[in-house]
PDB file of all heavy atoms in Angstrom:
ATOM      1  N   ALA A 116       0.837  -1.206   0.000  1.00 98.00           N
ATOM      2  CA  ALA A 116       0.000   0.000   0.000  1.00 98.00           C
ATOM      3  C   ALA A 116       0.871   1.254   0.000  1.00 98.00           C
ATOM      4  O   ALA A 116       0.575   2.229  -0.707  1.00 98.00           O
ATOM      5  CB  ALA A 116      -0.936  -0.006   1.204  1.00 98.00           C
ATOM      6  N   LEU A 117       1.961   1.227   0.760  1.00 98.00           N
ATOM      7  CA  LEU A 117       2.883   2.362   0.770  1.00 98.00           C
ATOM      8  C   LEU A 117       3.552   2.528  -0.588  1.00 98.00           C
ATOM      9  O   LEU A 117       3.669   3.644  -1.110  1.00 98.00           O
ATOM     10  CB  LEU A 117       3.930   2.178   1.874  1.00 98.00           C
ATOM     11  CG  LEU A 117       5.037   3.222   1.975  1.00 98.00           C
ATOM     12  CD1 LEU A 117       4.481   4.638   2.069  1.00 98.00           C
ATOM     13  CD2 LEU A 117       5.937   2.912   3.160  1.00 98.00           C
ATOM     14  N   LEU A 118       3.962   1.424  -1.205  1.00 98.00           N
ATOM     15  CA  LEU A 118       4.543   1.499  -2.550  1.00 98.00           C
ATOM     16  C   LEU A 118       3.537   2.078  -3.536  1.00 98.00           C
ATOM     17  O   LEU A 118       3.894   2.892  -4.391  1.00 98.00           O
ATOM     18  CB  LEU A 118       4.996   0.115  -3.025  1.00 98.00           C
ATOM     19  CG  LEU A 118       6.161  -0.542  -2.297  1.00 98.00           C
ATOM     20  CD1 LEU A 118       6.436  -1.925  -2.883  1.00 98.00           C
ATOM     21  CD2 LEU A 118       7.407   0.319  -2.327  1.00 98.00           C
ATOM     22  N   ASP A 119       2.280   1.669  -3.429  1.00 98.00           N
ATOM     23  CA  ASP A 119       1.231   2.177  -4.326  1.00 98.00           C
ATOM     24  C   ASP A 119       1.043   3.680  -4.177  1.00 98.00           C
ATOM     25  O   ASP A 119       0.886   4.388  -5.168  1.00 98.00           O
ATOM     26  CB  ASP A 119      -0.105   1.476  -4.049  1.00 98.00           C
ATOM     27  CG  ASP A 119      -0.117   0.024  -4.487  1.00 98.00           C
ATOM     28  OD1 ASP A 119       0.740  -0.375  -5.300  1.00 98.00           O
ATOM     29  OD2 ASP A 119      -0.994  -0.724  -3.995  1.00 98.00           O
ATOM     30  N   GLU A 120       1.053   4.169  -2.938  1.00 98.00           N
ATOM     31  CA  GLU A 120       0.833   5.603  -2.731  1.00 98.00           C
ATOM     32  C   GLU A 120       2.067   6.430  -3.056  1.00 98.00           C
ATOM     33  O   GLU A 120       1.989   7.425  -3.765  1.00 98.00           O
ATOM     34  CB  GLU A 120       0.413   5.900  -1.290  1.00 98.00           C
ATOM     35  CG  GLU A 120       0.189   7.395  -1.090  1.00 98.00           C
ATOM     36  CD  GLU A 120      -0.226   7.788   0.303  1.00 98.00           C
ATOM     37  OE1 GLU A 120      -0.856   6.978   1.006  1.00 98.00           O
ATOM     38  OE2 GLU A 120       0.096   8.932   0.688  1.00 98.00           O
ATOM     39  N   PHE A 121       3.224   6.033  -2.538  1.00 98.00           N
ATOM     40  CA  PHE A 121       4.432   6.858  -2.653  1.00 98.00           C
ATOM     41  C   PHE A 121       5.130   6.710  -4.005  1.00 98.00           C
ATOM     42  O   PHE A 121       5.714   7.651  -4.505  1.00 98.00           O
ATOM     43  CB  PHE A 121       5.384   6.535  -1.502  1.00 98.00           C
ATOM     44  CG  PHE A 121       6.593   7.419  -1.450  1.00 98.00           C
ATOM     45  CD1 PHE A 121       6.466   8.786  -1.228  1.00 98.00           C
ATOM     46  CD2 PHE A 121       7.867   6.896  -1.604  1.00 98.00           C
ATOM     47  CE1 PHE A 121       7.582   9.615  -1.167  1.00 98.00           C
ATOM     48  CE2 PHE A 121       8.991   7.703  -1.538  1.00 98.00           C
ATOM     49  CZ  PHE A 121       8.847   9.067  -1.320  1.00 98.00           C
ATOM     50  N   LYS A 122       5.106   5.522  -4.586  1.00 98.00           N
ATOM     51  CA  LYS A 122       5.748   5.220  -5.864  1.00 98.00           C
ATOM     52  C   LYS A 122       7.239   5.610  -5.860  1.00 98.00           C
ATOM     53  O   LYS A 122       7.677   6.462  -6.629  1.00 98.00           O
ATOM     54  CB  LYS A 122       5.020   5.910  -7.013  1.00 98.00           C
ATOM     55  CG  LYS A 122       3.581   5.454  -7.161  1.00 98.00           C
ATOM     56  CD  LYS A 122       2.896   6.121  -8.326  1.00 98.00           C
ATOM     57  CE  LYS A 122       1.465   5.751  -8.526  1.00 98.00           C
ATOM     58  NZ  LYS A 122       0.735   5.038  -7.552  1.00 98.00           N
ATOM     59  N   PRO A 123       8.018   4.951  -4.992  1.00 98.00           N
ATOM     60  CA  PRO A 123       9.437   5.316  -4.873  1.00 98.00           C
ATOM     61  C   PRO A 123      10.262   4.897  -6.092  1.00 98.00           C
ATOM     62  O   PRO A 123       9.931   3.940  -6.789  1.00 98.00           O
ATOM     63  CB  PRO A 123       9.889   4.541  -3.640  1.00 98.00           C
ATOM     64  CG  PRO A 123       9.000   3.349  -3.593  1.00 98.00           C
ATOM     65  CD  PRO A 123       7.664   3.837  -4.102  1.00 98.00           C
ATOM     66  N   ASP A 124      11.339   5.643  -6.311  1.00 98.00           N
ATOM     67  CA  ASP A 124      12.329   5.260  -7.322  1.00 98.00           C
ATOM     68  C   ASP A 124      13.310   4.260  -6.731  1.00 98.00           C
ATOM     69  O   ASP A 124      13.851   3.415  -7.439  1.00 98.00           O
ATOM     70  CB  ASP A 124      13.100   6.498  -7.795  1.00 98.00           C
ATOM     71  CG  ASP A 124      12.191   7.540  -8.406  1.00 98.00           C
ATOM     72  OD1 ASP A 124      11.479   7.199  -9.368  1.00 98.00           O
ATOM     73  OD2 ASP A 124      12.178   8.683  -7.916  1.00 98.00           O
ATOM     74  N   VAL A 125      13.562   4.409  -5.421  1.00 98.00           N
ATOM     75  CA  VAL A 125      14.519   3.565  -4.710  1.00 98.00           C
ATOM     76  C   VAL A 125      13.940   3.214  -3.340  1.00 98.00           C
ATOM     77  O   VAL A 125      13.329   4.058  -2.690  1.00 98.00           O
ATOM     78  CB  VAL A 125      15.871   4.304  -4.503  1.00 98.00           C
ATOM     79  CG1 VAL A 125      16.837   3.485  -3.660  1.00 98.00           C
ATOM     80  CG2 VAL A 125      16.502   4.666  -5.833  1.00 98.00           C
ATOM     81  N   VAL A 126      14.156   1.974  -2.931  1.00 98.00           N
ATOM     82  CA  VAL A 126      13.851   1.546  -1.563  1.00 98.00           C
ATOM     83  C   VAL A 126      15.186   1.261  -0.896  1.00 98.00           C
ATOM     84  O   VAL A 126      15.977   0.462  -1.401  1.00 98.00           O
ATOM     85  CB  VAL A 126      12.950   0.288  -1.540  1.00 98.00           C
ATOM     86  CG1 VAL A 126      12.814  -0.244  -0.130  1.00 98.00           C
ATOM     87  CG2 VAL A 126      11.592   0.593  -2.139  1.00 98.00           C
ATOM     88  N   HIS A 127      15.454   1.956   0.201  1.00 97.00           N
ATOM     89  CA  HIS A 127      16.707   1.766   0.942  1.00 97.00           C
ATOM     90  C   HIS A 127      16.386   1.063   2.250  1.00 97.00           C
ATOM     91  O   HIS A 127      15.764   1.640   3.143  1.00 97.00           O
ATOM     92  CB  HIS A 127      17.373   3.117   1.198  1.00 97.00           C
ATOM     93  CG  HIS A 127      18.704   2.984   1.882  1.00 97.00           C
ATOM     94  ND1 HIS A 127      19.517   4.060   2.102  1.00 97.00           N
ATOM     95  CD2 HIS A 127      19.367   1.924   2.399  1.00 97.00           C
ATOM     96  CE1 HIS A 127      20.615   3.664   2.725  1.00 97.00           C
ATOM     97  NE2 HIS A 127      20.530   2.365   2.916  1.00 97.00           N
ATOM     98  N   LEU A 128      16.822  -0.186   2.355  1.00 95.00           N
ATOM     99  CA  LEU A 128      16.577  -1.013   3.537  1.00 95.00           C
ATOM    100  C   LEU A 128      17.738  -0.890   4.510  1.00 95.00           C
ATOM    101  O   LEU A 128      18.889  -0.785   4.099  1.00 95.00           O
ATOM    102  CB  LEU A 128      16.424  -2.478   3.123  1.00 95.00           C
ATOM    103  CG  LEU A 128      15.414  -2.768   2.011  1.00 95.00           C
ATOM    104  CD1 LEU A 128      15.460  -4.240   1.638  1.00 95.00           C
ATOM    105  CD2 LEU A 128      14.031  -2.340   2.413  1.00 95.00           C
ATOM    106  N   ASN A 129      17.417  -0.918   5.774  1.00 91.00           N
ATOM    107  CA  ASN A 129      18.433  -0.907   6.818  1.00 91.00           C
ATOM    108  C   ASN A 129      18.198  -2.121   7.701  1.00 91.00           C
ATOM    109  O   ASN A 129      18.198  -3.222   7.221  1.00 91.00           O
ATOM    110  CB  ASN A 129      18.387   0.423   7.579  1.00 91.00           C
ATOM    111  CG  ASN A 129      18.904   1.549   6.710  1.00 91.00           C
ATOM    112  OD1 ASN A 129      20.097   1.736   6.570  1.00 91.00           O
ATOM    113  ND2 ASN A 129      18.006   2.292   6.083  1.00 91.00           N
ATOM    114  N   ASN A 130      18.000  -1.957   8.973  1.00 87.00           N
ATOM    115  CA  ASN A 130      17.776  -3.073   9.891  1.00 87.00           C
ATOM    116  C   ASN A 130      16.307  -3.480   9.837  1.00 87.00           C
ATOM    117  O   ASN A 130      15.472  -2.868  10.485  1.00 87.00           O
ATOM    118  CB  ASN A 130      18.172  -2.655  11.308  1.00 87.00           C
ATOM    119  CG  ASN A 130      19.301  -3.483  11.853  1.00 87.00           C
ATOM    120  OD1 ASN A 130      19.668  -4.494  11.279  1.00 87.00           O
ATOM    121  ND2 ASN A 130      19.850  -3.060  12.970  1.00 87.00           N
ATOM    122  N   ILE A 131      15.988  -4.486   9.070  1.00 85.00           N
ATOM    123  CA  ILE A 131      14.588  -4.867   8.839  1.00 85.00           C
ATOM    124  C   ILE A 131      14.290  -6.315   9.184  1.00 85.00           C
ATOM    125  O   ILE A 131      13.131  -6.713   9.194  1.00 85.00           O
ATOM    126  CB  ILE A 131      14.191  -4.636   7.364  1.00 85.00           C
ATOM    127  CG1 ILE A 131      15.051  -5.495   6.457  1.00 85.00           C
ATOM    128  CG2 ILE A 131      14.288  -3.172   6.996  1.00 85.00           C
ATOM    129  CD1 ILE A 131      14.501  -5.684   5.077  1.00 85.00           C
ATOM    130  N   HIS A 132      15.305  -7.130   9.467  1.00 78.00           N
ATOM    131  CA  HIS A 132      15.136  -8.592   9.502  1.00 78.00           C
ATOM    132  C   HIS A 132      14.075  -9.105  10.460  1.00 78.00           C
ATOM    133  O   HIS A 132      13.227  -9.882  10.076  1.00 78.00           O
ATOM    134  CB  HIS A 132      16.446  -9.324   9.805  1.00 78.00           C
ATOM    135  CG  HIS A 132      17.672  -8.504   9.689  1.00 78.00           C
ATOM    136  ND1 HIS A 132      18.168  -7.759  10.715  1.00 78.00           N
ATOM    137  CD2 HIS A 132      18.484  -8.283   8.653  1.00 78.00           C
ATOM    138  CE1 HIS A 132      19.247  -7.128  10.323  1.00 78.00           C
ATOM    139  NE2 HIS A 132      19.461  -7.433   9.080  1.00 78.00           N
ATOM    140  N   THR A 133      14.086  -8.720  11.715  1.00 74.00           N
ATOM    141  CA  THR A 133      13.175  -9.315  12.694  1.00 74.00           C
ATOM    142  C   THR A 133      11.853  -8.567  12.791  1.00 74.00           C
ATOM    143  O   THR A 133      10.789  -9.165  12.739  1.00 74.00           O
ATOM    144  CB  THR A 133      13.850  -9.363  14.086  1.00 74.00           C
ATOM    145  OG1 THR A 133      15.089 -10.057  13.958  1.00 74.00           O
ATOM    146  CG2 THR A 133      12.978 -10.078  15.085  1.00 74.00           C
ATOM    147  N   GLN A 134      11.896  -7.248  12.929  1.00 80.00           N
ATOM    148  CA  GLN A 134      10.673  -6.488  13.163  1.00 80.00           C
ATOM    149  C   GLN A 134       9.892  -6.201  11.882  1.00 80.00           C
ATOM    150  O   GLN A 134       8.695  -5.965  11.935  1.00 80.00           O
ATOM    151  CB  GLN A 134      11.001  -5.169  13.872  1.00 80.00           C
ATOM    152  CG  GLN A 134      11.321  -5.335  15.338  1.00 80.00           C
ATOM    153  CD  GLN A 134      12.757  -5.772  15.611  1.00 80.00           C
ATOM    154  OE1 GLN A 134      13.536  -6.003  14.702  1.00 80.00           O
ATOM    155  NE2 GLN A 134      13.091  -5.902  16.876  1.00 80.00           N
ATOM    156  N   LEU A 135      10.528  -6.200  10.755  1.00 84.00           N
ATOM    157  CA  LEU A 135       9.819  -6.042   9.476  1.00 84.00           C
ATOM    158  C   LEU A 135       9.955  -7.376   8.754  1.00 84.00           C
ATOM    159  O   LEU A 135       9.460  -8.366   9.235  1.00 84.00           O
ATOM    160  CB  LEU A 135      10.386  -4.855   8.691  1.00 84.00           C
ATOM    161  CG  LEU A 135      10.209  -3.502   9.389  1.00 84.00           C
ATOM    162  CD1 LEU A 135      10.937  -2.404   8.638  1.00 84.00           C
ATOM    163  CD2 LEU A 135       8.752  -3.160   9.557  1.00 84.00           C
ATOM    164  N   SER A 136      10.655  -7.420   7.625  1.00 84.00           N
ATOM    165  CA  SER A 136      10.903  -8.698   6.962  1.00 84.00           C
ATOM    166  C   SER A 136      11.711  -8.464   5.697  1.00 84.00           C
ATOM    167  O   SER A 136      11.449  -7.510   4.973  1.00 84.00           O
ATOM    168  CB  SER A 136       9.586  -9.380   6.586  1.00 84.00           C
ATOM    169  OG  SER A 136       9.850 -10.514   5.782  1.00 84.00           O
ATOM    170  N   PRO A 137      12.649  -9.358   5.395  1.00 87.00           N
ATOM    171  CA  PRO A 137      13.364  -9.259   4.121  1.00 87.00           C
ATOM    172  C   PRO A 137      12.441  -9.392   2.902  1.00 87.00           C
ATOM    173  O   PRO A 137      12.830  -9.033   1.802  1.00 87.00           O
ATOM    174  CB  PRO A 137      14.358 -10.422   4.179  1.00 87.00           C
ATOM    175  CG  PRO A 137      14.581 -10.648   5.641  1.00 87.00           C
ATOM    176  CD  PRO A 137      13.230 -10.373   6.271  1.00 87.00           C
ATOM    177  N   ILE A 138      11.217  -9.864   3.118  1.00 89.00           N
ATOM    178  CA  ILE A 138      10.271 -10.007   2.010  1.00 89.00           C
ATOM    179  C   ILE A 138      10.025  -8.666   1.314  1.00 89.00           C
ATOM    180  O   ILE A 138       9.697  -8.632   0.130  1.00 89.00           O
ATOM    181  CB  ILE A 138       8.943 -10.648   2.484  1.00 89.00           C
ATOM    182  CG1 ILE A 138       8.107 -11.154   1.302  1.00 89.00           C
ATOM    183  CG2 ILE A 138       8.100  -9.659   3.271  1.00 89.00           C
ATOM    184  CD1 ILE A 138       8.622 -12.408   0.695  1.00 89.00           C
ATOM    185  N   ILE A 139      10.217  -7.563   2.037  1.00 92.00           N
ATOM    186  CA  ILE A 139       9.955  -6.263   1.417  1.00 92.00           C
ATOM    187  C   ILE A 139      10.951  -5.965   0.297  1.00 92.00           C
ATOM    188  O   ILE A 139      10.611  -5.253  -0.644  1.00 92.00           O
ATOM    189  CB  ILE A 139       9.862  -5.115   2.443  1.00 92.00           C
ATOM    190  CG1 ILE A 139      11.177  -4.854   3.150  1.00 92.00           C
ATOM    191  CG2 ILE A 139       8.741  -5.397   3.446  1.00 92.00           C
ATOM    192  CD1 ILE A 139      11.140  -3.678   4.122  1.00 92.00           C
ATOM    193  N   ALA A 140      12.156  -6.514   0.371  1.00 92.00           N
ATOM    194  CA  ALA A 140      13.124  -6.357  -0.727  1.00 92.00           C
ATOM    195  C   ALA A 140      12.575  -7.027  -1.991  1.00 92.00           C
ATOM    196  O   ALA A 140      12.639  -6.464  -3.088  1.00 92.00           O
ATOM    197  CB  ALA A 140      14.471  -6.956  -0.351  1.00 92.00           C
ATOM    198  N   GLU A 141      12.030  -8.209  -1.818  1.00 92.00           N
ATOM    199  CA  GLU A 141      11.455  -8.944  -2.956  1.00 92.00           C
ATOM    200  C   GLU A 141      10.229  -8.228  -3.524  1.00 92.00           C
ATOM    201  O   GLU A 141      10.061  -8.134  -4.738  1.00 92.00           O
ATOM    202  CB  GLU A 141      11.085 -10.359  -2.513  1.00 92.00           C
ATOM    203  CG  GLU A 141      10.574 -11.225  -3.644  1.00 92.00           C
ATOM    204  CD  GLU A 141      10.264 -12.641  -3.203  1.00 92.00           C
ATOM    205  OE1 GLU A 141      10.698 -13.071  -2.125  1.00 92.00           O
ATOM    206  OE2 GLU A 141       9.547 -13.318  -3.966  1.00 92.00           O
ATOM    207  N   LEU A 142       9.375  -7.705  -2.647  1.00 94.00           N
ATOM    208  CA  LEU A 142       8.176  -6.990  -3.111  1.00 94.00           C
ATOM    209  C   LEU A 142       8.543  -5.762  -3.936  1.00 94.00           C
ATOM    210  O   LEU A 142       7.916  -5.486  -4.967  1.00 94.00           O
ATOM    211  CB  LEU A 142       7.301  -6.593  -1.920  1.00 94.00           C
ATOM    212  CG  LEU A 142       6.674  -7.743  -1.137  1.00 94.00           C
ATOM    213  CD1 LEU A 142       6.035  -7.230   0.149  1.00 94.00           C
ATOM    214  CD2 LEU A 142       5.664  -8.494  -1.990  1.00 94.00           C
ATOM    215  N   ALA A 143       9.564  -5.030  -3.505  1.00 97.00           N
ATOM    216  CA  ALA A 143      10.016  -3.856  -4.267  1.00 97.00           C
ATOM    217  C   ALA A 143      10.651  -4.299  -5.593  1.00 97.00           C
ATOM    218  O   ALA A 143      10.370  -3.725  -6.653  1.00 97.00           O
ATOM    219  CB  ALA A 143      11.003  -3.036  -3.450  1.00 97.00           C
TER     220      ALA A 143
END
């Protein structure tokens, strides 16, 4: 939903492993 609204050119991931998920790299 955030990708749909914001439409980023780049997604910059930092510490995401436990509280978010590496799946967001794949979704982007």
Side-chain angles (χ1 to χ4, degrees):
L117 176 53
L118 293 178
D119 289 342
E120 180 180 332
F121 186 63
K122 298 182 181 12
D124 300 303
V125 175
V126 172
H127 183 174
L128 308 175
N129 289 280
N130 242 349
I131 61 162
H132 346 87
T133 305
Q134 285 81 358
L135 297 173
S136 172
I138 196 75
I139 66 177
E141 184 178 344
L142 294 170

